[in-house]
PDB file of all heavy atoms in Angstrom:
ATOM      1  N   HIS A 220     145.920 171.522 200.826  1.00 98.00           N
ATOM      2  CA  HIS A 220     145.780 170.656 201.999  1.00 98.00           C
ATOM      3  C   HIS A 220     145.047 171.436 203.088  1.00 98.00           C
ATOM      4  O   HIS A 220     145.514 172.468 203.537  1.00 98.00           O
ATOM      5  CB  HIS A 220     147.193 170.231 202.449  1.00 98.00           C
ATOM      6  CG  HIS A 220     147.237 169.521 203.764  1.00 98.00           C
ATOM      7  ND1 HIS A 220     148.410 169.375 204.484  1.00 98.00           N
ATOM      8  CD2 HIS A 220     146.275 168.912 204.515  1.00 98.00           C
ATOM      9  CE1 HIS A 220     148.163 168.719 205.593  1.00 98.00           C
ATOM     10  NE2 HIS A 220     146.876 168.431 205.645  1.00 98.00           N
ATOM     11  N   SER A 221     143.895 170.917 203.499  1.00 98.00           N
ATOM     12  CA  SER A 221     143.095 171.579 204.521  1.00 98.00           C
ATOM     13  C   SER A 221     142.516 170.531 205.469  1.00 98.00           C
ATOM     14  O   SER A 221     142.488 169.336 205.154  1.00 98.00           O
ATOM     15  CB  SER A 221     141.967 172.398 203.877  1.00 98.00           C
ATOM     16  OG  SER A 221     141.189 173.070 204.850  1.00 98.00           O
ATOM     17  N   ALA A 222     142.043 170.991 206.634  1.00 98.00           N
ATOM     18  CA  ALA A 222     141.481 170.075 207.635  1.00 98.00           C
ATOM     19  C   ALA A 222     140.745 170.877 208.695  1.00 98.00           C
ATOM     20  O   ALA A 222     140.859 172.103 208.773  1.00 98.00           O
ATOM     21  CB  ALA A 222     142.579 169.229 208.278  1.00 98.00           C
ATOM     22  N   ASP A 223     139.984 170.145 209.521  1.00 98.00           N
ATOM     23  CA  ASP A 223     139.412 170.697 210.756  1.00 98.00           C
ATOM     24  C   ASP A 223     138.518 171.916 210.529  1.00 98.00           C
ATOM     25  O   ASP A 223     138.658 172.942 211.188  1.00 98.00           O
ATOM     26  CB  ASP A 223     140.538 171.036 211.742  1.00 98.00           C
ATOM     27  CG  ASP A 223     141.327 169.805 212.131  1.00 98.00           C
ATOM     28  OD1 ASP A 223     140.768 168.958 212.855  1.00 98.00           O
ATOM     29  OD2 ASP A 223     142.485 169.667 211.699  1.00 98.00           O
ATOM     30  N   TRP A 224     137.543 171.753 209.632  1.00 98.00           N
ATOM     31  CA  TRP A 224     136.583 172.836 209.403  1.00 98.00           C
ATOM     32  C   TRP A 224     135.587 172.924 210.557  1.00 98.00           C
ATOM     33  O   TRP A 224     135.134 174.010 210.881  1.00 98.00           O
ATOM     34  CB  TRP A 224     135.818 172.579 208.104  1.00 98.00           C
ATOM     35  CG  TRP A 224     136.672 172.568 206.874  1.00 98.00           C
ATOM     36  CD1 TRP A 224     138.019 172.782 206.797  1.00 98.00           C
ATOM     37  CD2 TRP A 224     136.227 172.306 205.533  1.00 98.00           C
ATOM     38  NE1 TRP A 224     138.453 172.675 205.494  1.00 98.00           N
ATOM     39  CE2 TRP A 224     137.371 172.385 204.701  1.00 98.00           C
ATOM     40  CE3 TRP A 224     134.995 172.002 204.975  1.00 98.00           C
ATOM     41  CZ2 TRP A 224     137.295 172.182 203.323  1.00 98.00           C
ATOM     42  CZ3 TRP A 224     134.913 171.798 203.610  1.00 98.00           C
ATOM     43  CH2 TRP A 224     136.060 171.887 202.782  1.00 98.00           C
ATOM     44  N   HIS A 225     135.193 171.799 211.120  1.00 97.00           N
ATOM     45  CA  HIS A 225     134.276 171.732 212.262  1.00 97.00           C
ATOM     46  C   HIS A 225     132.962 172.471 212.004  1.00 97.00           C
ATOM     47  O   HIS A 225     132.495 173.275 212.817  1.00 97.00           O
ATOM     48  CB  HIS A 225     134.949 172.251 213.526  1.00 97.00           C
ATOM     49  CG  HIS A 225     135.964 171.293 214.074  1.00 97.00           C
ATOM     50  ND1 HIS A 225     135.631 170.234 214.874  1.00 97.00           N
ATOM     51  CD2 HIS A 225     137.313 171.223 213.885  1.00 97.00           C
ATOM     52  CE1 HIS A 225     136.732 169.547 215.185  1.00 97.00           C
ATOM     53  NE2 HIS A 225     137.765 170.113 214.592  1.00 97.00           N
ATOM     54  N   LEU A 226     132.376 172.191 210.844  1.00 97.00           N
ATOM     55  CA  LEU A 226     131.063 172.753 210.543  1.00 97.00           C
ATOM     56  C   LEU A 226     130.033 172.231 211.541  1.00 97.00           C
ATOM     57  O   LEU A 226     130.115 171.095 212.001  1.00 97.00           O
ATOM     58  CB  LEU A 226     130.645 172.383 209.117  1.00 97.00           C
ATOM     59  CG  LEU A 226     131.632 172.782 207.999  1.00 97.00           C
ATOM     60  CD1 LEU A 226     131.044 172.423 206.639  1.00 97.00           C
ATOM     61  CD2 LEU A 226     131.980 174.250 208.064  1.00 97.00           C
ATOM     62  N   ASP A 227     129.065 173.078 211.865  1.00 94.00           N
ATOM     63  CA  ASP A 227     128.023 172.771 212.856  1.00 94.00           C
ATOM     64  C   ASP A 227     128.576 172.697 214.278  1.00 94.00           C
ATOM     65  O   ASP A 227     127.989 172.058 215.154  1.00 94.00           O
ATOM     66  CB  ASP A 227     127.279 171.475 212.518  1.00 94.00           C
ATOM     67  CG  ASP A 227     126.520 171.575 211.204  1.00 94.00           C
ATOM     68  OD1 ASP A 227     125.896 172.624 210.973  1.00 94.00           O
ATOM     69  OD2 ASP A 227     126.572 170.626 210.407  1.00 94.00           O
ATOM     70  N   SER A 228     129.684 173.349 214.504  1.00 93.00           N
ATOM     71  CA  SER A 228     130.235 173.418 215.855  1.00 93.00           C
ATOM     72  C   SER A 228     129.259 174.125 216.784  1.00 93.00           C
ATOM     73  O   SER A 228     128.598 175.090 216.396  1.00 93.00           O
ATOM     74  CB  SER A 228     131.559 174.190 215.834  1.00 93.00           C
ATOM     75  OG  SER A 228     132.051 174.412 217.132  1.00 93.00           O
ATOM     76  N   PRO A 229     129.131 173.696 218.055  1.00 90.00           N
ATOM     77  CA  PRO A 229     128.172 174.329 218.977  1.00 90.00           C
ATOM     78  C   PRO A 229     128.577 175.731 219.412  1.00 90.00           C
ATOM     79  O   PRO A 229     127.750 176.490 219.898  1.00 90.00           O
ATOM     80  CB  PRO A 229     128.167 173.374 220.171  1.00 90.00           C
ATOM     81  CG  PRO A 229     129.459 172.643 220.097  1.00 90.00           C
ATOM     82  CD  PRO A 229     129.769 172.500 218.638  1.00 90.00           C
ATOM     83  N   LEU A 230     129.866 176.092 219.265  1.00 89.00           N
ATOM     84  CA  LEU A 230     130.327 177.457 219.573  1.00 89.00           C
ATOM     85  C   LEU A 230     129.953 177.864 220.994  1.00 89.00           C
ATOM     86  O   LEU A 230     129.351 178.912 221.235  1.00 89.00           O
ATOM     87  CB  LEU A 230     129.757 178.451 218.560  1.00 89.00           C
ATOM     88  CG  LEU A 230     130.142 178.159 217.094  1.00 89.00           C
ATOM     89  CD1 LEU A 230     129.342 179.032 216.152  1.00 89.00           C
ATOM     90  CD2 LEU A 230     131.629 178.346 216.873  1.00 89.00           C
ATOM     91  N   VAL A 231     130.334 177.040 221.935  1.00 82.00           N
ATOM     92  CA  VAL A 231     130.059 177.296 223.350  1.00 82.00           C
ATOM     93  C   VAL A 231     130.829 178.530 223.816  1.00 82.00           C
ATOM     94  O   VAL A 231     131.974 178.746 223.452  1.00 82.00           O
ATOM     95  CB  VAL A 231     130.456 176.069 224.198  1.00 82.00           C
ATOM     96  CG1 VAL A 231     130.264 176.354 225.681  1.00 82.00           C
ATOM     97  CG2 VAL A 231     129.653 174.852 223.773  1.00 82.00           C
ATOM     98  N   GLY A 232     130.170 179.354 224.644  1.00 81.00           N
ATOM     99  CA  GLY A 232     130.834 180.505 225.231  1.00 81.00           C
ATOM    100  C   GLY A 232     130.646 181.803 224.482  1.00 81.00           C
ATOM    101  O   GLY A 232     131.077 182.859 224.943  1.00 81.00           O
ATOM    102  N   ARG A 233     129.988 181.771 223.356  1.00 85.00           N
ATOM    103  CA  ARG A 233     129.716 182.992 222.590  1.00 85.00           C
ATOM    104  C   ARG A 233     128.260 183.397 222.806  1.00 85.00           C
ATOM    105  O   ARG A 233     127.392 182.539 223.001  1.00 85.00           O
ATOM    106  CB  ARG A 233     129.945 182.747 221.088  1.00 85.00           C
ATOM    107  CG  ARG A 233     131.271 182.061 220.748  1.00 85.00           C
ATOM    108  CD  ARG A 233     132.359 183.062 220.444  1.00 85.00           C
ATOM    109  NE  ARG A 233     132.805 183.813 221.579  1.00 85.00           N
ATOM    110  CZ  ARG A 233     133.694 183.338 222.467  1.00 85.00           C
ATOM    111  NH1 ARG A 233     134.162 182.128 222.370  1.00 85.00           N
ATOM    112  NH2 ARG A 233     134.099 184.091 223.472  1.00 85.00           N
ATOM    113  N   ASN A 234     127.978 184.705 222.741  1.00 88.00           N
ATOM    114  CA  ASN A 234     126.581 185.105 222.808  1.00 88.00           C
ATOM    115  C   ASN A 234     125.886 184.745 221.498  1.00 88.00           C
ATOM    116  O   ASN A 234     126.541 184.420 220.503  1.00 88.00           O
ATOM    117  CB  ASN A 234     126.444 186.596 223.142  1.00 88.00           C
ATOM    118  CG  ASN A 234     127.030 187.495 222.061  1.00 88.00           C
ATOM    119  OD1 ASN A 234     126.831 187.273 220.864  1.00 88.00           O
ATOM    120  ND2 ASN A 234     127.748 188.529 222.478  1.00 88.00           N
ATOM    121  N   GLU A 235     124.562 184.791 221.483  1.00 91.00           N
ATOM    122  CA  GLU A 235     123.817 184.286 220.346  1.00 91.00           C
ATOM    123  C   GLU A 235     124.137 185.041 219.060  1.00 91.00           C
ATOM    124  O   GLU A 235     124.267 184.437 217.986  1.00 91.00           O
ATOM    125  CB  GLU A 235     122.315 184.342 220.626  1.00 91.00           C
ATOM    126  CG  GLU A 235     121.458 183.699 219.539  1.00 91.00           C
ATOM    127  CD  GLU A 235     121.820 182.245 219.261  1.00 91.00           C
ATOM    128  OE1 GLU A 235     122.253 181.552 220.198  1.00 91.00           O
ATOM    129  OE2 GLU A 235     121.658 181.809 218.109  1.00 91.00           O
ATOM    130  N   GLU A 236     124.281 186.361 219.162  1.00 92.00           N
ATOM    131  CA  GLU A 236     124.595 187.152 217.958  1.00 92.00           C
ATOM    132  C   GLU A 236     125.937 186.732 217.372  1.00 92.00           C
ATOM    133  O   GLU A 236     126.064 186.528 216.159  1.00 92.00           O
ATOM    134  CB  GLU A 236     124.624 188.636 218.305  1.00 92.00           C
ATOM    135  CG  GLU A 236     124.989 189.525 217.116  1.00 92.00           C
ATOM    136  CD  GLU A 236     125.212 190.974 217.521  1.00 92.00           C
ATOM    137  OE1 GLU A 236     124.941 191.322 218.696  1.00 92.00           O
ATOM    138  OE2 GLU A 236     125.682 191.753 216.673  1.00 92.00           O
ATOM    139  N   HIS A 237     126.929 186.599 218.233  1.00 93.00           N
ATOM    140  CA  HIS A 237     128.255 186.207 217.750  1.00 93.00           C
ATOM    141  C   HIS A 237     128.243 184.779 217.230  1.00 93.00           C
ATOM    142  O   HIS A 237     128.871 184.463 216.204  1.00 93.00           O
ATOM    143  CB  HIS A 237     129.284 186.361 218.876  1.00 93.00           C
ATOM    144  CG  HIS A 237     130.698 186.401 218.390  1.00 93.00           C
ATOM    145  ND1 HIS A 237     131.788 186.313 219.225  1.00 93.00           N
ATOM    146  CD2 HIS A 237     131.211 186.514 217.138  1.00 93.00           C
ATOM    147  CE1 HIS A 237     132.901 186.380 218.520  1.00 93.00           C
ATOM    148  NE2 HIS A 237     132.587 186.497 217.257  1.00 93.00           N
ATOM    149  N   SER A 238     127.520 183.887 217.907  1.00 93.00           N
ATOM    150  CA  SER A 238     127.436 182.496 217.460  1.00 93.00           C
ATOM    151  C   SER A 238     126.831 182.404 216.068  1.00 93.00           C
ATOM    152  O   SER A 238     127.317 181.649 215.210  1.00 93.00           O
ATOM    153  CB  SER A 238     126.608 181.671 218.452  1.00 93.00           C
ATOM    154  OG  SER A 238     127.259 181.558 219.689  1.00 93.00           O
ATOM    155  N   GLN A 239     125.769 183.165 215.821  1.00 94.00           N
ATOM    156  CA  GLN A 239     125.138 183.139 214.504  1.00 94.00           C
ATOM    157  C   GLN A 239     126.092 183.646 213.429  1.00 94.00           C
ATOM    158  O   GLN A 239     126.157 183.086 212.323  1.00 94.00           O
ATOM    159  CB  GLN A 239     123.862 183.980 214.527  1.00 94.00           C
ATOM    160  CG  GLN A 239     122.728 183.360 215.319  1.00 94.00           C
ATOM    161  CD  GLN A 239     121.471 184.209 215.278  1.00 94.00           C
ATOM    162  OE1 GLN A 239     121.409 185.225 214.593  1.00 94.00           O
ATOM    163  NE2 GLN A 239     120.453 183.778 216.019  1.00 94.00           N
ATOM    164  N   TYR A 240     126.818 184.700 213.752  1.00 94.00           N
ATOM    165  CA  TYR A 240     127.801 185.229 212.794  1.00 94.00           C
ATOM    166  C   TYR A 240     128.870 184.187 212.489  1.00 94.00           C
ATOM    167  O   TYR A 240     129.233 183.959 211.322  1.00 94.00           O
ATOM    168  CB  TYR A 240     128.444 186.503 213.348  1.00 94.00           C
ATOM    169  CG  TYR A 240     129.630 186.969 212.529  1.00 94.00           C
ATOM    170  CD1 TYR A 240     129.446 187.567 211.290  1.00 94.00           C
ATOM    171  CD2 TYR A 240     130.934 186.785 212.994  1.00 94.00           C
ATOM    172  CE1 TYR A 240     130.525 187.976 210.525  1.00 94.00           C
ATOM    173  CE2 TYR A 240     132.017 187.192 212.238  1.00 94.00           C
ATOM    174  CZ  TYR A 240     131.819 187.785 211.012  1.00 94.00           C
ATOM    175  OH  TYR A 240     132.887 188.182 210.267  1.00 94.00           O
ATOM    176  N   LEU A 241     129.397 183.527 213.517  1.00 95.00           N
ATOM    177  CA  LEU A 241     130.440 182.524 213.317  1.00 95.00           C
ATOM    178  C   LEU A 241     129.921 181.323 212.535  1.00 95.00           C
ATOM    179  O   LEU A 241     130.644 180.759 211.698  1.00 95.00           O
ATOM    180  CB  LEU A 241     130.999 182.080 214.665  1.00 95.00           C
ATOM    181  CG  LEU A 241     131.782 183.144 215.446  1.00 95.00           C
ATOM    182  CD1 LEU A 241     132.143 182.632 216.834  1.00 95.00           C
ATOM    183  CD2 LEU A 241     133.040 183.562 214.699  1.00 95.00           C
ATOM    184  N   ARG A 242     128.671 180.934 212.780  1.00 94.00           N
ATOM    185  CA  ARG A 242     128.099 179.813 212.015  1.00 94.00           C
ATOM    186  C   ARG A 242     128.037 180.164 210.530  1.00 94.00           C
ATOM    187  O   ARG A 242     128.335 179.323 209.669  1.00 94.00           O
ATOM    188  CB  ARG A 242     126.695 179.483 212.527  1.00 94.00           C
ATOM    189  CG  ARG A 242     126.677 178.815 213.901  1.00 94.00           C
ATOM    190  CD  ARG A 242     125.296 178.300 214.263  1.00 94.00           C
ATOM    191  NE  ARG A 242     125.264 177.853 215.658  1.00 94.00           N
ATOM    192  CZ  ARG A 242     124.783 178.575 216.665  1.00 94.00           C
ATOM    193  NH1 ARG A 242     124.268 179.780 216.434  1.00 94.00           N
ATOM    194  NH2 ARG A 242     124.805 178.099 217.889  1.00 94.00           N
ATOM    195  N   ARG A 243     127.640 181.391 210.233  1.00 94.00           N
ATOM    196  CA  ARG A 243     127.604 181.822 208.825  1.00 94.00           C
ATOM    197  C   ARG A 243     129.003 181.813 208.224  1.00 94.00           C
ATOM    198  O   ARG A 243     129.195 181.420 207.066  1.00 94.00           O
ATOM    199  CB  ARG A 243     126.975 183.214 208.713  1.00 94.00           C
ATOM    200  CG  ARG A 243     125.488 183.273 209.066  1.00 94.00           C
ATOM    201  CD  ARG A 243     124.864 184.590 208.612  1.00 94.00           C
ATOM    202  NE  ARG A 243     125.483 185.739 209.261  1.00 94.00           N
ATOM    203  CZ  ARG A 243     125.079 186.261 210.413  1.00 94.00           C
ATOM    204  NH1 ARG A 243     124.060 185.720 211.064  1.00 94.00           N
ATOM    205  NH2 ARG A 243     125.673 187.322 210.928  1.00 94.00           N
ATOM    206  N   GLN A 244     129.979 182.260 209.002  1.00 95.00           N
ATOM    207  CA  GLN A 244     131.358 182.261 208.524  1.00 95.00           C
ATOM    208  C   GLN A 244     131.865 180.844 208.275  1.00 95.00           C
ATOM    209  O   GLN A 244     132.529 180.580 207.263  1.00 95.00           O
ATOM    210  CB  GLN A 244     132.255 182.956 209.549  1.00 95.00           C
ATOM    211  CG  GLN A 244     132.147 184.473 209.551  1.00 95.00           C
ATOM    212  CD  GLN A 244     132.848 185.084 208.348  1.00 95.00           C
ATOM    213  OE1 GLN A 244     134.063 184.996 208.226  1.00 95.00           O
ATOM    214  NE2 GLN A 244     132.076 185.666 207.456  1.00 95.00           N
ATOM    215  N   LEU A 245     131.550 179.918 209.182  1.00 96.00           N
ATOM    216  CA  LEU A 245     131.982 178.531 208.994  1.00 96.00           C
ATOM    217  C   LEU A 245     131.421 177.953 207.696  1.00 96.00           C
ATOM    218  O   LEU A 245     132.115 177.218 206.977  1.00 96.00           O
ATOM    219  CB  LEU A 245     131.529 177.678 210.181  1.00 96.00           C
ATOM    220  CG  LEU A 245     132.333 177.803 211.478  1.00 96.00           C
ATOM    221  CD1 LEU A 245     131.619 177.086 212.621  1.00 96.00           C
ATOM    222  CD2 LEU A 245     133.741 177.261 211.314  1.00 96.00           C
ATOM    223  N   LEU A 246     130.184 178.302 207.379  1.00 96.00           N
ATOM    224  CA  LEU A 246     129.557 177.758 206.177  1.00 96.00           C
ATOM    225  C   LEU A 246     130.176 178.298 204.889  1.00 96.00           C
ATOM    226  O   LEU A 246     129.948 177.744 203.813  1.00 96.00           O
ATOM    227  CB  LEU A 246     128.053 178.051 206.186  1.00 96.00           C
ATOM    228  CG  LEU A 246     127.217 177.167 207.117  1.00 96.00           C
ATOM    229  CD1 LEU A 246     125.787 177.684 207.205  1.00 96.00           C
ATOM    230  CD2 LEU A 246     127.237 175.717 206.646  1.00 96.00           C
ATOM    231  N   THR A 247     130.963 179.374 204.982  1.00 96.00           N
ATOM    232  CA  THR A 247     131.641 179.906 203.786  1.00 96.00           C
ATOM    233  C   THR A 247     132.960 179.189 203.511  1.00 96.00           C
ATOM    234  O   THR A 247     133.538 179.371 202.432  1.00 96.00           O
ATOM    235  CB  THR A 247     131.925 181.409 203.931  1.00 96.00           C
ATOM    236  OG1 THR A 247     132.939 181.634 204.938  1.00 96.00           O
ATOM    237  CG2 THR A 247     130.673 182.185 204.286  1.00 96.00           C
ATOM    238  N   ILE A 248     133.433 178.381 204.460  1.00 97.00           N
ATOM    239  CA  ILE A 248     134.749 177.757 204.301  1.00 97.00           C
ATOM    240  C   ILE A 248     134.820 176.851 203.073  1.00 97.00           C
ATOM    241  O   ILE A 248     135.800 176.927 202.306  1.00 97.00           O
ATOM    242  CB  ILE A 248     135.137 177.000 205.589  1.00 97.00           C
ATOM    243  CG1 ILE A 248     135.471 178.001 206.695  1.00 97.00           C
ATOM    244  CG2 ILE A 248     136.318 176.066 205.341  1.00 97.00           C
ATOM    245  CD1 ILE A 248     135.744 177.367 208.038  1.00 97.00           C
ATOM    246  N   PRO A 249     133.841 175.954 202.824  1.00 98.00           N
ATOM    247  CA  PRO A 249     133.968 175.091 201.636  1.00 98.00           C
ATOM    248  C   PRO A 249     134.166 175.871 200.341  1.00 98.00           C
ATOM    249  O   PRO A 249     135.039 175.519 199.534  1.00 98.00           O
ATOM    250  CB  PRO A 249     132.640 174.321 201.635  1.00 98.00           C
ATOM    251  CG  PRO A 249     132.216 174.303 203.073  1.00 98.00           C
ATOM    252  CD  PRO A 249     132.638 175.623 203.619  1.00 98.00           C
ATOM    253  N   GLU A 250     133.390 176.926 200.149  1.00 97.00           N
ATOM    254  CA  GLU A 250     133.532 177.695 198.915  1.00 97.00           C
ATOM    255  C   GLU A 250     134.839 178.479 198.891  1.00 97.00           C
ATOM    256  O   GLU A 250     135.462 178.627 197.830  1.00 97.00           O
ATOM    257  CB  GLU A 250     132.352 178.651 198.740  1.00 97.00           C
ATOM    258  CG  GLU A 250     132.428 179.503 197.468  1.00 97.00           C
ATOM    259  CD  GLU A 250     132.692 178.690 196.209  1.00 97.00           C
ATOM    260  OE1 GLU A 250     132.123 177.591 196.065  1.00 97.00           O
ATOM    261  OE2 GLU A 250     133.495 179.151 195.361  1.00 97.00           O
ATOM    262  N   ARG A 251     135.287 178.972 200.040  1.00 97.00           N
ATOM    263  CA  ARG A 251     136.588 179.661 200.094  1.00 97.00           C
ATOM    264  C   ARG A 251     137.721 178.710 199.695  1.00 97.00           C
ATOM    265  O   ARG A 251     138.640 179.093 198.963  1.00 97.00           O
ATOM    266  CB  ARG A 251     136.844 180.198 201.500  1.00 97.00           C
ATOM    267  CG  ARG A 251     135.964 181.364 201.920  1.00 97.00           C
ATOM    268  CD  ARG A 251     136.242 181.722 203.380  1.00 97.00           C
ATOM    269  NE  ARG A 251     135.311 182.683 203.925  1.00 97.00           N
ATOM    270  CZ  ARG A 251     135.484 183.998 203.905  1.00 97.00           C
ATOM    271  NH1 ARG A 251     136.578 184.507 203.376  1.00 97.00           N
ATOM    272  NH2 ARG A 251     134.587 184.810 204.438  1.00 97.00           N
ATOM    273  N   ILE A 252     137.651 177.473 200.195  1.00 97.00           N
ATOM    274  CA  ILE A 252     138.670 176.478 199.864  1.00 97.00           C
ATOM    275  C   ILE A 252     138.625 176.159 198.372  1.00 97.00           C
ATOM    276  O   ILE A 252     139.653 176.080 197.698  1.00 97.00           O
ATOM    277  CB  ILE A 252     138.464 175.196 200.690  1.00 97.00           C
ATOM    278  CG1 ILE A 252     138.609 175.485 202.195  1.00 97.00           C
ATOM    279  CG2 ILE A 252     139.433 174.110 200.244  1.00 97.00           C
ATOM    280  CD1 ILE A 252     139.975 175.874 202.644  1.00 97.00           C
ATOM    281  N   ALA A 253     137.411 175.960 197.839  1.00 98.00           N
ATOM    282  CA  ALA A 253     137.273 175.653 196.412  1.00 98.00           C
ATOM    283  C   ALA A 253     137.794 176.801 195.555  1.00 98.00           C
ATOM    284  O   ALA A 253     138.487 176.578 194.550  1.00 98.00           O
ATOM    285  CB  ALA A 253     135.810 175.362 196.087  1.00 98.00           C
TER     286      ALA A 253
END
C-alpha cells in the first residue's frame, strides 16, 4: 500500500542543485515500489 509520490513536484524553496537531485530521487520511487 503506497500513496502520495508527487512526481514532477515543483520543489519550491530548494536551490537548483538540490532540486535536480530530488527530482531524480522522486523518479526512482516507482521502481523502488515495484
Side-chain angles (χ1 to χ4, degrees):
H220 171 197
S221 181
D223 298 290
W224 297 359
H225 287 277
L226 304 183
D227 296 318
S228 173
L230 301 170
V231 176
R233 311 267 70 81
N234 64 44
E235 186 56 31
E236 178 188 352
H237 198 191
S238 293
Q239 289 182 4
Y240 170 74
L241 293 173
R242 288 189 189 99
R243 293 194 299 270
Q244 284 286 294
L245 283 170
L246 284 171
T247 69
I248 288 175
E250 180 50 40
R251 290 175 189 269
I252 298 293

